[in-house]
Every structure is written in C-alpha cells, then in structure tokens.
Amino acid sequence: MAGQNQRLNVVPTVTMLGVMKARLVGATRGHALLKKKSDALTVQFRAILKKIVAAKESMGETMRASSFSLAEAKYVAGDGVRHVVLQSIRAASVRVRSHQENVAGVKLPKFTHFVDPAAASGGPSNASPSLTGLARGGQQVAACRAAHVKAIEVLVELASLQTSFLTLDEAIKTTNRRVNALENVVKPRIENTISYIKGELDELEREDFFRLKKIQGYKKREIERQMANARLFAEEQLAEDLALKRGISVGAAANLLAAGGEKDDDIIF
C-alpha cells in the first residue's frame, strides 16, 4: 500500500499523462546511462586496485634495496658523505607534474615524475652528480642515488594510483546513490502517477459512456412514444375517414351511443 501511495500530486488529464510518460522515458534513459557509468567506473576501480597491489609489492622490494644501498654508501664513504651530498645539491633533479584523466565523466588526478635537465646536469647551483663522493665511495653514492630515484618513482606512481582510487571510490558511491534513487524512488513514483492518471481517465470514460447510454435510452423511449402517438393518431384518422364514407362521423356515433344509454320515462321495461 505504501508503494501505491507514492505518487506525484497531479491533475489527472491527458496532457499530464503525456508529461509523465516523457518524464518516465527520461528517467529510464538516465538510469541506463548512470548504470553504464557505474559499471565503467567499477571496472576502472578494480584495475587500479590491481595496480596498487602490484605497486605496493614492488615498493617493499625497492625501499629495501634503497635502504641497503644507503647503508653500503655510509659504510664505504663514512658518515660524512651526507654533508658532502647536501653541499653539492641545491635543487631536486626529480620533479613531479600533475594532470587529469577523464574516465566516464570523472576527472582522475595523475602524477608523473620527470628529471629536470638543468638540475640533473649540475646547473649553476648544483655540482655534477657524478662528481659527488669522488674522493671516497663515489660508486656506492651513485648506486644509492639511483636506488632512491627508483624508490621515488615507485612512490609517485603509488601516490597517483592511491589518489585515483579514492576519487573513483567517492564517484562510484555517488553514482550508485543516484542509480538507486532513480530505480527505487523516482521511477516507481512516476509509474504510480501514470497508473493513477490512467485509472482516473478510464473512470471518466466509463462515466461518459454510461451517461451517453442513458441519453440514448431516453431518446429511444421518446421516439417510441412519439411513434405510438403517431400510430394512434393515424388509426383515429382512418376510422374518421371510414365513418365519413358511411355517412356518419365518429363523433356523431359516439353521441348516439351516449344518447341511447339515457333512460326514457315513457317506456316502461
């Protein structure tokens, strides 16, 4: 009963029935499009989830390798290598840029890493990376730098995937809420409204049919009465004509009959 009472408050007319049907078509089309969008976002969501799992697995190996390379560099070059590196580097050579990727109408942030040529080649404020630690343990310092650059690349990729994952999760929740609202609230309400309007129009049509049937019955009885009167009048006219041909009118015959019925005082029966 609650579903039957869920309808829009409208006037049951043919025009409103057309409007409701158009709204139902639009709601059905929107529901289908949102359902396809939700499916596309879900597929992308699962693909990103697989990439995140693979990136986290590779991150563990990469971070372990970078930590070991740092320990080796400190062992070979000594603890003072940190000051040498800080003095030779003034700007980061690995940088991150962001852009957006459109997936089914949802803009996903993407982060990509790139190497700044000026900083990598030892610009005006940086020394050449190949000369860092040249006096002692330069090879291990270079290996440590390469390992940490690889770790940064993995971290940037993981950050991009994680941000896209959260954005897609929120978009899927919003889209599913809209799909459920259209499927469970909007469409049933419009369908109940259309059923209500059709029922009211059918009731009006039955009332009009009953009214027309009553009017036709009245007209038929009136015609029959008029035809009976016409036949009676025609019979009376025919009787009048026959009486005139015989030399006495119907009225005179009626008077004679009436006079014969009176009592005569001279005649004793």
Side-chain angles (χ1 to χ4, degrees):
M1 293 300 293
Q4 294 295 330
N5 294 330
Q6 267 192 351
R7 62 174 179 82
L8 300 175
N9 189 12
V10 296
V11 180
T13 59
V14 178
T15 304
M16 188 55 65
L17 180 61
V19 172
M20 288 294 105
K21 286 183 177 180
R23 290 183 63 177
L24 180 60
V25 170
T28 305
R29 189 174 301 169
H31 175 266
L33 291 176
L34 286 176
K35 189 66 176 175
K36 291 180 181 179
K37 178 180 178 180
S38 177
D39 295 340
L41 293 178
T42 304
V43 171
Q44 188 70 18
F45 182 81
R46 293 175 180 174
I48 290 178
L49 183 59
K50 291 181 180 179
K51 291 181 181 179
I52 288 176
V53 173
K56 286 187 176 181
E57 290 177 354
S58 63
M59 183 186 67
E61 184 66 24
T62 304
M63 296 302 291
R64 184 178 66 83
S66 62
S67 298
F68 284 163
S69 65
L70 179 61
E72 291 175 355
K74 285 184 178 180
Y75 177 77
V76 174
D79 292 337
V81 68
R82 181 169 63 89
H83 302 287
V84 175
V85 172
L86 291 177
Q87 289 176 0
S88 60
I89 301 298
R90 293 291 183 271
S93 59
V94 179
R95 298 181 180 272
V96 178
R97 66 164 60 95
S98 65
H99 64 279
Q100 291 182 342
E101 181 179 354
N102 193 347
V103 177
V106 178
K107 294 182 179 180
L108 301 179
K110 294 289 183 179
F111 304 120
T112 55
H113 62 276
F114 67 98
V115 178
D116 189 1
S121 61
S125 59
N126 293 348
S128 177
S130 59
L131 300 178
T132 303
L134 184 61
R136 185 180 178 185
Q139 185 177 1
Q140 293 297 331
V141 172
C144 180
R145 178 180 181 278
H148 280 78
V149 167
K150 187 176 181 181
I152 290 173
E153 294 175 357
V154 174
L155 288 175
V156 170
E157 181 183 2
L158 183 60
S160 177
L161 292 173
Q162 199 75 30
T163 306
S164 300
F165 180 83
L166 295 176
T167 306
L168 268 180
D169 184 45
E170 188 65 28
I172 289 173
K173 288 179 181 178
T174 304
T175 305
N176 287 337
R177 282 197 296 267
R178 293 176 179 175
V179 170
N180 293 332
L182 284 172
E183 185 175 357
N184 300 321
V185 178
V186 177
K187 288 180 63 178
R189 186 173 296 176
I190 296 176
E191 289 173 353
N192 291 338
T193 305
I194 291 175
S195 300
Y196 162 73
I197 294 175
K198 285 184 177 179
E200 292 295 323
L201 292 178
D202 291 341
E203 186 66 27
L204 291 175
E205 186 176 356
R206 284 192 292 270
E207 290 179 359
D208 291 339
F209 178 75
F210 181 75
R211 189 182 301 110
L212 291 175
K213 194 172 181 181
K214 281 289 187 181
I215 292 173
Q216 288 178 355
Y218 174 77
K219 288 182 178 180
K220 185 177 180 180
R221 289 193 300 270
E222 185 66 21
I223 292 172
E224 290 176 354
R225 187 181 64 81
Q226 291 178 1
M227 290 179 65
N229 293 335
R231 285 196 299 270
L232 182 60
F233 179 75
E235 291 173 358
E236 291 179 353
Q237 289 292 330
L238 181 60
E240 182 72 21
D241 293 341
L242 291 175
L244 290 175
K245 288 180 180 179
R246 293 175 181 175
I248 185 170
S249 65
V250 176
N255 292 332
L256 287 175
L257 290 175
E262 295 178 357
K263 184 177 180 182
D264 194 350
D265 295 335
D266 297 334
I267 301 174
I268 300 174
F269 292 97

